[in-house]
Amino acid sequence: MKSKLLILYLSVSCITVKAQNKLSWNAVVEGCINKAPDGSSQQLLTRYQMVDSVSSLFYRYNDEYRSKTKNDVYFGAGIGVSLQYVILKNLNFTIGFIISQGYIKRSIRNETVVLDSVLVTIQKTANSWYDPVTGLSVYRIFGFNQNGQYVAHTVTSYQNNSALKSACNETINLTLLELPLGITYKFPNTRLSLIGEVIGSILLKGKVNSDYLADRNEIQIIETAKDVEKMVWRLGMGIDYIINKKITIGARYRQSLNSIIDYDNLKNKNFSLQISYKLPALKIK
């Protein structure tokens, strides 16, 4: 019995030593540059302007609402560790744990273009007016305009304006736990390695700060609360170069697969530089 236990102990010890020789870990520091593509959207909506309330005479406008988003280049930084396991002679599996901090700055601007207008008489109801041609109800919700006339907009025009966002300047602050899973191939007889990876980014802290414009020429849209997604997935590739036995430098390019905010299609591209330092061997008991 004792001999069997001794054999089992020696077998486990050999496997542990073998695994320990294949496993290494590194401290990682990275700096990154991020850029999301600029965006634009447009939507056709109907608007009404009252001319005479007694005769229910209105101007009916067909407008094109246009929204443009400009995303600035922004910078971020991260620090963490990565673990590397040797699968084959030149092939490694890598998993990382990186805490990163970054922000996105962008501006949103809207404009309206009148495509055509026509003078129409619509039906008066108890609390509003009704246009049988368009099937829209018209409500008096904006008070007097500069000409002393009432301006009435359809409720539909404001409920279905999915193409528009509030005109504002936004700063989106992000603190993420990055979990890159990758495969590294080392070119034989060189110091170069090629990396392919999938990155899951878990939101630890996210906040959207919006500076709404006071310019009355801008179309202002009332939106629901703005939130940041809890999980973002990215694909990445890059290269590593071994400086010496301890230090490796690398570069990564990553592309988001889903939007980082839940109220807009914001998929960012990321370019980062990394420095990793090999830590003492892991002791597996």
Side-chain angles (χ1 to χ4, degrees):
M1 183 66 180
K2 290 183 178 179
S3 60
K4 289 182 179 180
L5 290 175
L6 179 61
I7 292 171
L8 179 61
Y9 174 78
L10 291 174
S11 300
V12 172
S13 297
C14 289
I15 294 171
T16 302
V17 170
K18 188 176 181 180
Q20 184 172 311
N21 292 335
K22 290 187 174 185
L23 190 65
S24 61
W25 63 317
N26 303 276
V28 179
V29 177
E30 68 175 20
C32 61
I33 299 173
N34 299 271
K35 180 68 170 75
D38 297 337
S40 63
S41 59
Q42 54 275 333
Q43 185 172 359
L44 297 178
L45 295 173
T46 304
R47 174 172 57 92
Y48 294 84
Q49 178 179 335
M50 181 182 291
V51 177
D52 181 44
S53 61
V54 176
S55 60
S56 298
L57 191 64
F58 285 77
Y59 274 109
R60 182 174 64 217
Y61 296 91
N62 288 317
D63 297 341
E64 184 176 70
Y65 288 72
R66 300 172 182 173
S67 184
K68 294 182 179 180
T69 303
K70 184 180 184 304
N71 295 296
D72 296 336
V73 173
Y74 66 97
F75 301 90
I79 187 170
V81 296
S82 67
L83 284 85
Q84 205 168 64
Y85 183 80
V86 178
I87 302 173
L88 299 172
K89 182 179 179 181
N90 295 315
L91 198 65
N92 299 334
F93 171 76
T94 303
I95 180 172
F97 301 88
I98 310 292
I99 300 293
S100 66
Q101 177 71 48
Y103 63 91
I104 302 169
K105 282 191 173 183
R106 62 188 203 146
S107 59
I108 301 170
R109 298 293 181 267
N110 299 323
E111 64 175 345
T112 180
V113 177
V114 179
L115 301 180
D116 59 66
S117 64
V118 61
L119 196 61
V120 296
T121 300
I122 60 178
Q123 299 173 4
K124 182 74 172 73
T125 63
N127 299 314
S128 62
W129 288 265
Y130 176 74
D131 187 349
V133 175
T134 61
L136 299 174
S137 295
V138 182
Y139 294 83
R140 185 183 298 168
I141 58 175
F142 272 92
F144 288 96
N145 68 5
Q146 60 184 355
N147 299 319
Q149 299 169 333
Y150 282 98
V151 177
H153 286 253
T154 64
V155 171
T156 305
S157 292
Y158 282 86
Q159 290 178 342
N160 296 336
N161 52 5
S162 57
L164 284 182
K165 312 168 192 66
S166 296
C168 63
N169 298 316
E170 279 188 347
T171 301
I172 305 166
N173 295 300
L174 302 166
T175 303
L176 301 168
L177 172 60
E178 308 271 9
L179 302 172
L181 300 174
I183 295 293
T184 301
Y185 175 76
K186 185 180 182 300
F187 294 103
N189 304 318
T190 72
R191 297 188 177 193
L192 280 175
S193 298
L194 182 66
I195 298 96
E197 57 185 8
V198 177
I199 307 99
S201 300
I202 301 172
L203 177 72
L204 300 180
K205 185 178 180 181
K207 186 177 182 181
V208 180
N209 296 316
S210 298
D211 179 17
Y212 291 96
L213 303 177
D215 186 355
R216 297 196 176 191
N217 294 321
E218 287 278 358
I219 304 165
Q220 297 293 334
I221 306 302
I222 298 174
E223 295 178 304
T224 56
K226 297 180 176 182
D227 294 315
V228 181
E229 287 290 353
K230 302 300 181 186
M231 188 78 176
V232 179
W233 292 97
R234 292 182 289 168
L235 290 178
M237 62 181 299
I239 57 172
D240 279 346
Y241 182 81
I242 300 172
I243 301 294
N244 54 44
K245 291 182 179 181
K246 291 289 187 180
I247 299 175
T248 301
I249 60 173
R252 303 286 186 274
Y253 173 80
R254 294 163 176 167
Q255 170 67 56
S256 297
L257 299 179
N258 61 311
S259 179
I260 206 163
I261 49 180
D262 68 352
Y263 57 90
D264 197 6
N265 185 26
L266 182 59
K267 297 179 181 179
N268 67 316
K269 300 176 182 179
N270 171 287
F271 177 77
S272 64
L273 295 176
Q274 293 184 347
I275 299 177
S276 60
Y277 180 81
K278 190 172 183 179
L279 298 170
L282 292 170
K283 301 287 186 180
I284 304 176
K285 295 183 179 181

